[in-house]
Amino acid sequence: FAGNVVKAMGGATRGYPVVSRMLAKRAPAAPEPAALKARLDDELRARVHAVERLTPKIVEVVVKAPMAARAFQPGQFYRLQNYEAHAQRVDGTTLAMEGLALTGAWIDRNEGLLSTIVLEMGGSSDLCTLLQPGEPVILMGPTGTPTETPSGETVLLVGGGLGNAVLFSIGAAFRAEGSRVLYFAGYKTIEDRYKIADIERAADSVVWCCDEAPGFQPGRPQDLAFVGNIVQAIEAYGSGALGPVEIPLAEVDRIIAIGSDGMMNAVGQARRAALKRYFRPGHRAIASINSPMQCMMKEICAQCLQRHYDPATGTETVVFSCFNQDQDLDRVDFRTLRRRLSQNGAQEKLTKLWIDRCLRHLGWRAAAAAE
Ligand SMILES: Cc1cc2nc3c(=O)[nH]c(=O)nc-3n(C[C@H](O)[C@H](O)[C@H](O)COP(=O)(O)OP(=O)(O)OC[C@H]3O[C@@H](n4cnc5c(N)ncnc54)[C@H](O)[C@@H]3O)c2cc1C
Ligand code: FES
């Protein structure tokens, strides 16, 4: 259904008597009710397949949910939550999660698996590591809008930290469409990098950037490395300081930036200043905006409202980020986003401390540190 969930439910309420009347005229068809129920249970009831730690702060959660996996297109996200009934309890606290928006990293259609990669930020994200294989979970989605991946373009992907978990499926989709992909993958520290082979497969050329010296060693002849932040890396690439390049910035048709709000804002500002001379006018620049979200059901609760500002006319508009997370980089008002993301700061700091305490009392944090 194209539209929000309330309209879909409204449509179903009006439509079901018509469907029921038509079905009543026909003889029952296969499968038998028990087989149908078993199939629907298997297709729709999500359960944890595996949880793997990728870095000291990042875990991968693979969920078995065949229908949700098959429906996924790169760029879309899911809402994941544990069941309170299955949540661990410690010192009178039930470690139940709020619904977490998590972008799909990869899917396996044949096995009915979907992967999400979670950065532990202190709240519900810290509880993902407790999920057990086989545990039923609440999974909604895929939701949001698939990232546009047209053919025949030259695309610059700019990924900061966790953003790289999302970008490799997008890069792979661009390449499958016949577009060329130049991928700047940025990390704060050397231990933050994961899924290296997936990133290499998603790009014709990767520039591995790390704030921490000595940085990374490129794994392929067409790849490069840089020590410093990602904006400095693009500048160095554009100026020729990294040596000859196969994909000049002047050929880029589209930039997609995914990372923290601060990183995407920095890329947006640099494009209008120091980096402007490297890009041709008229290229598109898109940022994946992770507003605070609640329902994630497209225009219902309005938690995800994001202010836009048209640089040409000064007109203000407001969009629902859960409807489409991919937004015009030059229009996003990053100050509003920052304010929205930090509005519950005091509560989140307390939650973070309490969850940390709970995980230590469970013996989980100490165990994880020793691994
Ligand atoms: C469309 C979308 C896709 C997302 N995809 C992923 C993903 O693939 N992997 C992943 O780890 N996280 C992803 N997030 C962020 C994730 O949903 C949680 O917001 C984040 O894990 C913090 O949740 P928490 O309960 O642990 O922390 P909270 O207690 O809610 O907050 C802790 C810290 O996280 C920050 N925070 C809160 N909400 C967000 C947000 N929406 N985006 C960024 N920071 C936030 C707060 O400012 C605070 O500093 C996505 C968010 C959105 C909206
Ligand atoms: S998160 Fe509820 S409308 Fe977007």
Side-chain angles (χ1 to χ4, degrees):
F1 184 85
N4 73 41
V5 174
V6 171
K7 284 185 188 154
M9 288 164 70
T13 308
R14 282 208 219 145
Y16 93 88
V18 181
V19 175
S20 299
R21 275 200 303 278
M22 292 307 293
L23 289 177
K25 291 182 187 165
R26 304 172 68 99
E32 291 298 316
L36 178 64
K37 180 175 173 297
R39 200 171 93 199
L40 289 177
D41 278 350
D42 182 57
E43 289 276 338
L44 292 169
R45 294 177 73 174
R47 52 243 175 250
V48 176
H49 177 75
V51 179
E52 190 192 342
R53 181 160 291 283
L54 300 180
T55 78
K57 294 300 279 178
I58 294 179
V59 290
E60 178 171 22
V61 179
V62 181
V63 175
K64 178 137 184 151
M67 215 180 259
R70 282 199 304 274
F72 175 76
Q73 290 175 268
Q76 289 185 295
F77 58 99
Y78 296 93
R79 189 183 62 197
L80 178 75
Q81 195 170 10
N82 62 356
Y83 281 99
E84 188 185 337
H86 293 278
Q88 299 207 33
R89 286 164 175 75
V90 57
D91 298 343
T93 298
T94 302
L95 294 175
M97 293 158 58
E98 288 184 344
L100 272 180
L102 296 172
T103 308
W106 54 261
I107 52 151
D108 181 333
R109 282 173 201 279
N110 295 332
E111 297 296 324
L113 300 177
L114 61 94
S115 152
T116 59
I117 296 182
V118 186
L119 174 66
E120 294 172 320
M121 296 194 65
S124 299
S125 54
D126 281 32
L127 303 179
C128 289
T129 186
L130 300 178
L131 294 169
Q132 296 297 315
E135 180 177 334
V137 282
I138 305 163
L139 184 87
M140 190 276 290
T143 185
T145 302
T147 297
E148 272 181 47
T149 52
S151 59
E153 288 198 356
T154 297
V155 184
L156 171 61
L157 303 182
V158 186
L162 191 82
N164 294 307
V166 179
L167 272 173
F168 61 73
S169 67
I170 293 173
F174 269 113
R175 293 194 78 202
E177 292 292 336
S179 284
R180 269 193 315 172
V181 176
L182 168 62
Y183 188 154
F184 282 73
Y187 305 85
K188 280 207 171 78
T189 69
I190 289 168
E191 68 177 12
D192 290 343
R193 195 167 66 144
Y194 52 87
K195 303 270 182 198
I196 298 166
D198 292 289
I199 292 177
E200 287 175 344
R201 269 195 296 277
D204 294 278
S205 176
V206 183
V207 182
W208 297 104
C209 317
C210 188
D211 289 354
E212 183 184 58
F216 302 114
Q217 275 299 321
R220 308 179 301 178
Q222 71 267 40
D223 297 341
L224 298 164
F226 181 82
V227 177
N229 73 39
I230 211 158
V231 173
Q232 293 165 338
I234 300 173
E235 164 84 49
Y237 184 96
S239 70
L242 298 185
V245 297
E246 284 178 20
I247 307 179
L249 295 180
E251 291 177 14
V252 167
D253 299 296
R254 179 183 299 257
I255 300 175
I256 299 181
I258 306 189
S260 67
D261 57 311
M263 174 276 215
M264 294 187 291
N265 192 16
V267 171
Q269 287 181 357
R271 274 179 57 251
R272 293 188 287 274
L275 300 181
K276 191 172 176 182
R277 62 200 159 112
Y278 300 120
F279 293 102
R280 59 176 183 72
H283 70 275
R284 290 195 66 189
I286 290 152
S288 179
I289 301 302
N290 289 357
S291 306
M293 289 189 187
Q294 189 179 334
C295 73
M296 304 169 216
M297 295 200 292
K298 301 187 174 176
E299 303 184 357
I300 307 293
C301 73
Q303 270 293 319
C304 63
L305 291 181
Q306 170 62 43
R307 183 171 172 267
H308 280 197
Y309 174 80
D310 185 329
T313 63
T315 313
E316 276 182 35
T317 46
V318 176
V319 299
F320 288 83
S321 289
C322 74
F323 200 94
N324 189 352
Q325 68 293 338
D326 287 352
Q327 299 175 21
D328 185 338
L329 183 56
D330 290 327
R331 286 174 181 247
V332 174
D333 176 355
F334 281 98
R335 270 184 323 161
T336 314
L337 179 60
R338 182 92 300 264
R339 279 203 294 261
R340 295 275 291 116
L341 285 172
S342 47
Q343 69 185 359
N344 298 322
Q347 275 165 297
E348 284 164 3
K349 285 189 184 84
L350 291 172
T351 304
K352 184 175 178 162
L353 291 170
W354 188 255
I355 287 181
D356 186 56
R357 177 183 182 277
C358 289
L359 292 180
R360 283 174 199 284
H361 281 202
L362 272 179
W364 195 261
R365 274 271 146 90
E371 276 168 12

